[in-house]
Amino acid sequence: MNTPVPVHTLRLVLGDQLNPLHRWWQQPDPGILHVLMEVRSETDYVRHHAQKIIALFAAMEAFVGARRAEGHRMRHVRIDDPSNRQSICANLEALQAHYRAPRIEYQAPDEWRLDQALAAWGARMAAQGVAVEAVDSEHFLAPRAAVGAFFAPRREWRMEHFYRAMRQQWRVLLDARGKPEGGQWNFDQENRKRWPGTPPEPADRRPRHDHRVIWARIQAAGVDSFGQPEAEALRWPLDRNEALAQLDDFIAHGLPHFGDYQDALAETAPRLFHSLLSFALNTKMLHPREVIQRAEAAWRAGTAPLPAVEGFIRQILGWREYVRGVYWAQMPDYAEHNFFGHTRPLPGWFWTGATRMACLARAVGDSLAHAYAHHIQRLMVISNFALLAGLDPAGVHRWYLGVYIDAFEWVELPNTLGMGQFADGGLLASKPYVSSGAYLDRMGDHCRQCSYAVRQRTGPGACPFNALYWDFFMTHRPRLEGNPRLGLVFRQVDKMGDAERAALRDYAAALRANIETL
Ligand SMILES: Cc1cc2nc3c(=O)[nH]c(=O)nc-3n(C[C@H](O)[C@H](O)[C@H](O)COP(=O)(O)OP(=O)(O)OC[C@H]3O[C@@H](n4cnc5c(N)ncnc54)[C@H](O)[C@@H]3O)c2cc1C
Ligand code: SF4
């Protein structure tokens, strides 16, 4: 019988570090054992959507298979493995003891919680004579500390400033003189159209996976989850090849119209022209640079207009890198912010989608069915309602962290707490992202089939967004009045008569009291 090759290095690969281009995978070494784990500490830190757990487990399985086929030594600890101690550090410690590995390496995690746990555990192991090293995950374009350093001398943490610096640093969409292509940095003004029903939403060509076996394993382990598992047809790309195919498809069919309808909402088109790349990006199957390069190349080849390409690149080179930097600069305190002091629990229909408000039924329903909703559903429908209704931002954060396929705290928390709930008091957003029903009516077609009347402000059947919107500004006037971007709102409040203001406040109070049955 062959004696196994001793393990000189144990390497931890987290479920969101499935990057086959990382230097770890350049050259197989039989003395290096790579470990991937399905553990209860990761399935249970928040209640997750079933598809999110299935997709992560399935993607890890695919990754293990592909690296093993390349000759790498892999260990996949499954959730039902009797030796599984159900926490990353406990499993690592057991494996280190078993193999007597003198060295452990891990790629720096993106979540503060795991970063702290691994650093503390690593220090303990180092004290016992085991060498522990954290290496770069080689994914992001800006180092963790870059955003904090960039904004340290500035008064305001506005994404746009950082984005322009990133465009220059990475020479993206610049002309030969280093100026922005098209003569301007930002084409946002052109990217706010309502979708009239044409061009048609691109076909959903994502692969179908059957993961009933994985789902059965998750259920047998007793993992609590919510949302539809859709174990017969999981539609998320689970390896790099599938992710690249999704990128090709988006560049050809979605990108040309991405800009125009970036802010639109549509009852019959839940994906519109969005890329559906966030799971592949956040698990690092795709590198942001290649996605940006493909988009820029499409514009240079004349297959997508500049406003669409700039708008798309801004999301990845700008927002994605920026929110990650905000997260690292502000944690751990960031998670505790609650600027407005909101405490109301989330209504039960966040877990069923059963509400008569058509826009919310669609956005929450899509989230539960697909573990996905596009940006405007997340921001201007669900989060807008949550802020206007005074829901507890920590509860909203937990719901967002659990429900979306792409939700990892480094990106979810600043988006939810900062952009969505203004809970950081305006560090990330220059004003609260809230609207009345008129905006939702302008950007989409949900209101046509809603039980509520979008133009009505008060009285039975009036759109809840209207009274909640005006009540929000009346309630929080002392905190918001000094914001120069909100002058018009307060002038409109002042123009109302006392009776109108009182009726709005009464109706808003009634809506909050009956929130479960809206
Ligand atoms: C309240 C709220 C919570 C959110 N939570 C998450 C989350 O948990 N995970 C997540 O990846 N995104 C989150 N976002 C950002 C954005 O909504 C999603 O990235 C996007 O909907 C994913 O779908 P897509 O791949 O089709 O994106 P597209 O619309 O096609 O955009 C392309 C890519 O740009 C990036 N991107 C776009 N907007 C943002 C943003 N605001 N911040 C960071 N990256 C961005 C994503 O990587 C996305 O894949 C959140 C936004 C809001 C308002
Ligand atoms: S009427 Fe109000 S609640 Fe109904 S879909 Fe329109 S905005 Fe949403």
Side-chain angles (χ1 to χ4, degrees):
M1 210 169 99
N2 290 341
T3 323
V5 178
V7 173
H8 63 72
T9 304
L10 204 57
R11 281 179 177 168
L12 170 69
V13 183
L14 296 170
D16 65 348
Q17 296 176 338
L18 308 180
N19 170 12
L21 305 181
H22 192 276
R23 69 183 156 79
W24 274 4
W25 311 109
Q26 281 169 6
Q27 186 63 45
D29 176 341
I32 301 178
L33 179 65
H34 301 90
V35 191
L36 286 92
M37 311 174 190
E38 302 169 356
V39 283
R40 291 300 294 264
S41 59
E42 293 309 295
T43 57
D44 296 3
Y45 67 87
V46 76
R47 194 163 167 246
H48 294 282
H49 194 296
Q51 282 185 46
K52 186 177 171 192
I53 308 172
I54 299 171
L56 281 165
F57 281 16
M60 283 159 74
E61 201 158 274
F63 191 80
V64 169
R67 302 293 77 75
R68 199 172 268 149
E70 290 166 1
H72 296 282
R73 194 167 166 190
M74 309 296 292
R75 171 80 197 269
H76 185 190
V77 182
R78 294 206 167 79
I79 201 145
D80 54 1
D81 186 328
S83 69
N84 191 340
R85 298 183 179 197
Q86 303 297 349
S87 108
I88 289 172
C89 294
N91 279 339
L92 269 185
E93 198 157 332
L95 287 164
Q96 188 279 332
H98 177 77
Y99 290 102
R100 297 179 194 284
R103 181 175 176 78
I104 298 176
E105 295 177 355
Y106 62 91
Q107 295 177 28
D110 292 317
E111 294 206 6
W112 194 86
R113 173 183 64 87
L114 272 182
D115 193 59
Q116 293 292 303
L118 281 166
W121 175 81
R124 200 157 56 74
M125 295 305 285
Q128 295 169 26
V130 180
V132 181
E133 190 189 354
V135 306
D136 193 346
S137 66
E138 300 174 10
H139 177 79
F140 291 97
L141 296 168
R144 262 188 195 177
V147 167
F150 182 84
F151 286 108
R154 292 175 159 79
R155 208 166 52 85
E156 292 189 318
W157 288 52
R158 296 291 163 249
M159 191 286 293
E160 188 66 25
H161 299 140
F162 174 74
Y163 165 59
R164 291 179 190 185
M166 289 291 277
R167 287 262 301 270
Q168 282 164 325
Q169 181 186 341
W170 291 95
R171 303 209 52 79
V172 174
L173 289 179
L174 297 185
D175 65 18
R177 297 165 305 142
K179 302 281 179 216
E181 291 288 9
Q184 61 195 72
W185 291 102
N186 185 317
F187 290 82
D188 222 11
Q189 292 299 336
E190 295 176 38
N191 289 348
R192 288 179 187 157
K193 299 193 179 83
R194 181 192 169 104
W195 182 59
T198 53
E201 182 187 52
D204 188 356
R205 297 184 190 80
R206 288 175 299 162
R208 289 177 188 276
H209 306 96
D210 179 351
H211 282 300
R212 278 174 290 190
V213 174
I214 293 180
W215 179 229
R217 186 160 89 228
I218 293 166
Q219 283 183 301
V223 176
D224 189 21
S225 66
F226 68 105
Q228 294 172 25
E230 284 197 348
E232 287 175 40
L234 193 78
R235 301 300 303 266
W236 297 99
L238 297 180
D239 63 27
R240 182 164 161 80
N241 287 338
E242 291 183 353
L244 285 169
Q246 176 63 20
L247 175 59
D248 285 348
D249 194 65
F250 169 70
I251 297 287
H253 304 289
L255 182 62
H257 309 294
F258 176 88
D260 279 350
Y261 307 116
Q262 193 180 344
D263 285 1
L265 292 157
E267 188 65 30
T268 52
R271 293 168 273 106
L272 280 164
F273 301 92
H274 293 275
S275 69
L276 310 172
L277 287 172
S278 50
F279 180 70
L281 274 164
N282 293 354
T283 51
K284 306 183 179 58
M285 296 171 192
L286 290 182
H287 197 284
R289 197 170 44 238
E290 66 189 329
V291 178
I292 291 165
Q293 281 168 349
R294 287 291 308 276
E296 178 164 359
W299 172 65
R300 295 202 183 277
T303 59
L306 185 57
V309 171
E310 187 283 315
F312 179 71
I313 287 177
R314 180 162 12 102
Q315 308 310 315
I316 297 176
L317 186 63
W319 280 109
R320 188 168 184 269
E321 297 285 331
Y322 166 78
V323 297
R324 173 175 181 263
V326 168
Y327 177 79
W328 282 106
Q330 301 291 327
M331 282 301 279
D333 299 342
Y334 198 75
E336 309 303 321
H337 286 306
N338 188 353
F339 181 67
F340 295 116
H342 286 160
T343 55
R344 191 175 297 278
L346 273 61
W349 46 262
F350 267 67
W351 285 271
T352 62
T355 165
R356 286 176 295 128
M357 293 179 281
C359 54
L360 275 154
R362 168 54 70 191
V364 174
D366 282 350
S367 307
L368 297 171
H370 308 296
Y372 177 84
H374 64 68
H375 187 67
I376 295 303
Q377 290 178 304
R378 295 188 203 196
L379 183 65
M380 294 312 296
V381 181
I382 305 175
S383 179
N384 184 5
F385 178 85
L387 180 50
L388 294 180
L391 304 189
D392 166 28
V396 178
H397 152 55
R398 280 194 299 278
W399 186 82
Y400 273 89
L401 184 58
V403 75
Y404 292 116
I405 196 79
D406 50 38
F408 299 90
E409 198 184 68
W410 63 268
V411 51
E412 177 277 329
L413 185 67
N415 268 301
T416 305
L417 233 67
M419 188 189 299
Q421 297 301 292
F422 205 76
D424 62 8
L427 177 84
L428 201 140
S430 57
K431 67 180 177 73
Y433 278 97
V434 284
S435 79
S436 66
Y439 171 84
L440 295 171
D441 192 30
R442 200 163 55 246
M443 297 311 297
D445 56 1
H446 303 304
C447 301
R448 286 186 213 151
Q449 47 246 294
C450 187
S451 329
Y452 293 96
V454 70
R455 295 194 182 175
Q456 200 180 320
R457 287 179 167 192
T458 54
C463 168
F465 279 88
N466 295 335
L468 290 173
Y469 175 81
W470 292 112
D471 183 60
F472 171 82
F473 284 109
M474 287 188 258
T475 304
H476 297 298
R477 185 165 193 158
R479 286 168 175 273
L480 296 175
E481 201 167 19
N483 185 324
R485 296 194 64 196
L486 294 173
L488 179 65
V489 175
F490 289 113
R491 282 198 293 282
Q492 285 175 289
V493 171
D494 290 339
K495 271 195 210 148
M496 293 174 188
D498 287 345
E500 189 177 4
R501 280 195 292 264
L504 285 166
R505 301 217 69 162
D506 287 349
Y507 187 51
L511 290 166
R512 287 202 191 87
N514 295 303
I515 195 165
E516 292 291 347
T517 53
L518 289 181

